[in-house]
Amino acid sequence: EAIGQEFRPAKVGDSFGPTWETCWFKVELSIPPAWAGREVHFVWESDGEGMVWRDAQPVQGLTKEGEKTSYILTSSLKETEPHSLTLYVELACNGLFGAGKGSMIAPPDPDRRFTLSKAELVVFNRDVYELLVDLEILLDMAQLLGEENQRSFQALYTANQMINVCDVMDPSTFPAARDLAAVIFSQRNGESQHTIHAMGHCHIDSAWLWPYEETIRKCARSWVSVVHLMECNPELTFTCSQVSNLPLGSSPSARGMFLLQHNSKQDGGGSVLWQAQQFEWVRSWYPGLYAQIQDFVAKGQFVPVGGTWVEMDGNLPSGESMVRQFLQGQQFFQEQFGRICSEFWLPDTFGYSAQLPQLMRGCGIRRFLTQKLSWNLVNTFPHHTFFWEGIDGSRVLTHFPPGDSYGMHGRVEEMLKTVKNNKDKGRVNHSALLFGFGDGGGGPTQKMLDRMKRMSDTDGLPRVQISTPNRLFSVLEKESSQLCTWVGELFLELHNGTYTTQAQIKKGNRECERILHDVEVLSTLAAARSSAFQYPASQLQRLWRLLLLNQFHDVLPGSCIQLVVEDALQYYTEIRRAGARLQEEAVQSLCRELLQPKAGSAESTLVLNTLPWERTEVISRTEPAGTESLALVTVPSMGYAIVREPLLPPQPVAVRKQEDGSIAMENGVIAVCLDMMGHLTSLRLVDSERESVPDGCYANQFALFDDVPLYWDAWDVMDYHLETRKPVTMLLKPLEITLAGGLRGSASFSLQIGKSSTLTQEIILDAMCPYLRFLTQVEWKEAHKFLKVEFPVQVRSANATYEIQFGHLQRPTHWNTSWDWARFEVWAHKWLDLSEHGFGVALLNDCKYGASAHRNVLSLSL
């Protein structure tokens, strides 16, 4: 499509944009015959990301920030090779990390321009390049090994001799200089030296500071560059979870360069994203590149790792969602590459649920790699290689690369840090090093490989070998007898704000998880009841993949730009719409006879229960006249009930207003009292008369905190925010009764939050219900503020219990140690509970994740 368009002239120094647009350049090259026998590169530098296309195929990614600014036209120009050719460069008007205005994580500048700063043909002098890499390694050894190490002096004196021997104006002196370096690099290590398993790596966020659609091109740019590197370096291995150019003589610019500006803003629309994983994107959009990747997978060089559909958040997805991440991911790897992943690879997620070891083991995975806990703000995690034990006792062998990064560059400094920083010296003598530009893509470079070739077995440095995850973990398994075990969650002491940021995304995730659960339950029952019903497997897979995509570790946490949020909300809308249709179809098939009106029978309501226990609840139903009415119903587990005459509660809800303006409600199970501000001043179990709210305290107390983190604004809330607590006291509308009792009693009130936000809450007590409901709506217009609701309770316990995936976890309610107080803000799913023997209080929610329990105060972050 681009090739067939009209192009206009363009030149170095021109700027293009605005942000997220795409420009195509037609580049006509003519290589001088005098360059015969020389290595010739096409050099392209721009602050936008680019892709070189040749013969209608992508051949090289171009990213200045990722040190990829050239495409090798020929390694030795032959007379038979074409000297004139046409290339196309696709320029994305965004950088490796998007287009933040003022800082990397600021919102994108919509009007940013991207400049073409260089477009040249150059002769690349390989001898000079190799000499420079030799000197770099030697100088790093001299500087970093320390004065107490004789190898540092040997490296220094060798570098000095090389300078003496080398005449920069006489290339014939270069080999003698390189021979001096080779002597150092050929002096071998002893057998006890630590072995570093180096693996090419390219972490690509599926969406973050750029929209989903740009990630498709980031994958192609990164992976085509890796494929090219593999063609030139058969030893290179690349784990996928998702050069110095010296012009000699004249440097003619690339002549005949023309521009086509393609005005297609990346708005995130369209059906492209309905298949959600990075391999699938490349398979769909770059089939030629994908075929090459499959070849290298078969050779064992391109190594798919991870096992999940996307690198999801490690805390917030439900247990079923995590199972589906593994199911969809492992199924894809099996179908496309003939094998499932044996390693779970999740290097950049903001903490790891204590349920993950059991889920991994259930999905055929016994090994786990990450490094994110190196970001801990308070406590240094005590291990790099260990067994991680989940809540059921399942264990997986876990490795954190001791260099504390997934984007190393193959430098001497990184190798030495890997050994020095290793917390498990003596227990294991092998570790991983992941090299390549990441987050925004990019991947490894030739220079990184060339550095490590010189360090493969050089005395004084750790032994460096290009390896694979399987090779590393196989060695670690053999050395594992002395390893320690870590029990429970891997809690990241940072980025606690991601449990709450972007409330609509959090709500969409929870709602859509529930919708897909209900659709699958009802569709399964319908299929079991009638062979005429076709289970909607393909439709459900499409919806699940949309949901799983939105669980990526910068989307569900809310740490992404507005374009991504808009896309995510659009996908939740699609899941709700399609899910409602599938649910209706299942119900019609399952209950067709029950839904047929019968002559002479009274009006009835069919009520379905998709949960595995009997439920007695008050429901709202629509009458024939269109009015809403309430009914008390009992529905069996995974069953239905037909409501004609509603049940009568043993005791109706009583609601009464007191002389001081407070409101009391009781239903025979619990009794509550609310003051005019909506505070819960009393909560009692009627049978025991046990009071839950301490004297002089208010539950349902809203509190506003300052939220000014050190740097990561959407990610973090710091512990010092707790010092800024301000109870919300500005009443807009005092508490008034809205339903007077019977099957349901309720009261509502409104508050002003901060300078310009409002909160309206309805507090509801239903007949026979053992809990009080709070329907809360906030019109949020504050900046750098954090809203919570607090429930002090008359319970004493050293630990609170929080729901996690398929289970629960206890965390301390005290701050005895730094490990305790670093958890001032934690995550939970649908409930947290504070209990002592025989009595407790639980706080439930339908769309929140941030929470805390300090001493006797349960707090939910809104």
Side-chain angles (χ1 to χ4, degrees), residues 600-621:
S601 65
E603 287 290 336
S604 62
T605 301
L606 176 67
V607 184
L608 298 167
N609 177 16
T610 57
L611 297 180
W613 59 83
E614 181 181 88
R615 295 159 68 189
T616 297
E617 295 180 14
V618 175
I619 64 165
S620 177
R621 58 177 179 169

Side-chain angles (χ1 to χ4, degrees), residues 49 63 65-68 95-98 104 199-206 208-210 218 222-223 226 238-239 241-242 278 311 347-348 371 375 405-409 434-445 448 552-554:
E49 292 193 272
T63 307
E65 296 155 291
E67 295 182 7
K68 292 182 178 68
L96 190 65
F97 295 99
M104 182 183 75
M199 294 168 253
H201 189 249
C202 177
H203 182 68
I204 304 176
D205 287 325
S206 292
W208 180 30
L209 304 175
W210 51 87
K218 283 181 174 288
S222 301
W223 295 353
V226 168
F238 177 74
T239 52
S241 50
Q242 310 220 39
Q278 293 179 2
E311 290 187 10
D348 194 32
Q371 62 80 49
W375 285 49
S405 173
Y406 51 72
M408 296 295 205
H409 294 171
L434 309 180
F435 64 95
F437 288 94
D439 291 331
T445 67
M448 296 175 190
F552 179 73
H553 65 252
D554 277 311

Side-chain angles (χ1 to χ4, degrees), residues 614-657:
E614 181 181 88
R615 295 159 68 189
T616 297
E617 295 180 14
V618 175
I619 64 165
S620 177
R621 58 177 179 169
T622 305
E623 299 290 347
T627 57
E628 294 288 320
S629 68
L630 300 175
L632 182 65
V633 299
T634 296
V635 188
S637 160
M638 293 287 186
Y640 69 89
I642 297 174
V643 181
R644 292 190 175 91
E645 294 297 327
L647 300 174
L648 293 175
Q651 181 172 331
V653 178
V655 181
R656 60 186 184 278
K657 192 165 187 176

Side-chain angles (χ1 to χ4, degrees), residues 465-503:
Q465 62 182 42
I466 301 297
S467 188
T468 64
N470 182 59
R471 211 175 300 156
L472 167 70
F473 276 103
S474 294
V475 174
L476 294 178
E477 284 166 351
K478 291 177 183 176
E479 297 183 343
S480 64
S481 62
Q482 302 285 323
L483 291 179
C484 300
T485 298
W486 182 270
V487 178
E489 67 181 330
L490 295 174
F491 184 84
L492 177 65
E493 296 171 358
L494 195 69
H495 296 353
N496 320 55
T498 59
Y499 316 145
T500 305
T501 298
Q502 294 292 350

Side-chain angles (χ1 to χ4, degrees), residues 13-70:
D14 287 353
S15 295
F16 310 96
T19 306
W20 308 126
E21 299 225 346
T22 302
C23 302
W24 283 86
F25 296 82
K26 182 179 181 180
V27 185
E28 295 177 348
L29 304 172
S30 182
I31 305 174
W35 289 4
R38 313 300 289 274
E39 183 173 338
V40 183
H41 293 194
F42 165 56
V43 176
W44 176 282
E45 289 188 13
S46 168
D47 47 358
E49 292 193 272
M51 171 84 90
V52 179
W53 291 75
R54 184 173 182 175
D55 301 327
Q57 290 297 321
V59 291
Q60 178 65 53
L62 297 169
T63 307
K64 188 175 180 180
E65 296 155 291
E67 295 182 7
K68 292 182 178 68
T69 57
S70 68

Side-chain angles (χ1 to χ4, degrees), residues 170-186:
D170 182 4
S172 67
T173 63
F174 297 172
R178 292 211 63 212
D179 288 344
L180 291 168
V183 172
I184 288 284
F185 299 142
S186 64

Side-chain angles (χ1 to χ4, degrees), residues 499-509 556-558 565 569 572 576 780 847-849 861-862:
Y499 316 145
T500 305
T501 298
Q502 294 292 350
Q504 288 297 330
I505 285 183
K506 305 298 193 289
K507 183 179 178 70
N509 180 72
L556 180 53
V565 173
L569 296 181
Y572 290 136
R576 290 184 183 104
W780 186 251
C847 63
K848 298 297 173 184
Y849 296 92
S861 299
L862 304 181

